[in-house]
């Protein structure tokens, strides 16, 4: 597990789970003790920003609306930017 990101209000922790550094599943674990949920497959990083989960797949950045209370995506994944450089080894 890598790249932990604490969600606002201490709702949970977003992290990447996977065997490699370039791909994995983006998961969230509630701090209430409930089991972790997979939000996105094939991503190596993610952040919660203003009601949206922002994440990458390779050199493309995506966005999806996310309910912070339910810790789940609530809408369609939409591409944002193509050609984003990313260092998977940091």
């Amino acid at each position: 597990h890598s790249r932990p990101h604490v969600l606002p209000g201490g709702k949970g922790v977003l992290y990447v789970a996977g065997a490699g550094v370039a791909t994995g599943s983006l998961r969230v674990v509630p701090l209430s003790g409930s089991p972790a949920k997979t939000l996105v497959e094939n991503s190596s990083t993610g952040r919660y920003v203003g009601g949206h989960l922002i994440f990458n797949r390779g050199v493309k950045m995506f966005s999806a609306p996310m309910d912070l209370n339910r810790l789940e995506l609530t809408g369609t994944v939409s591409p944002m930017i193509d050609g984003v450089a990313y260092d998977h080894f940091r």
Side-chain angles (χ1 to χ4, degrees):
H1 299 348
S2 63
R3 305 190 191 288
H5 173 70
V6 178
L7 296 172
K11 299 284 185 176
V13 177
L14 187 65
Y15 66 95
V16 176
V21 294
T23 61
S25 59
L26 194 52
R27 297 182 185 172
V28 63
V29 62
L31 294 181
S32 66
S34 298
K37 300 178 184 182
T38 299
L39 298 174
V40 175
E41 295 288 350
N42 300 318
S43 179
S44 59
T45 192
R47 292 289 182 262
Y48 178 83
V49 180
H52 286 79
L53 178 65
I54 309 297
F55 63 96
N56 77 303
R57 284 186 178 139
V59 296
K60 293 184 180 182
M61 187 174 285
F62 295 85
S63 171
M66 182 176 168
D67 184 315
L68 192 56
N69 291 317
R70 295 187 337 221
L71 297 178
E72 58 189 45
L73 301 183
T74 59
T76 306
V77 172
S78 301
M80 293 176 57
I81 304 170
D82 193 6
V84 176
Y86 187 78
D87 182 359
H88 293 288
F89 299 104
R90 284 190 172 201

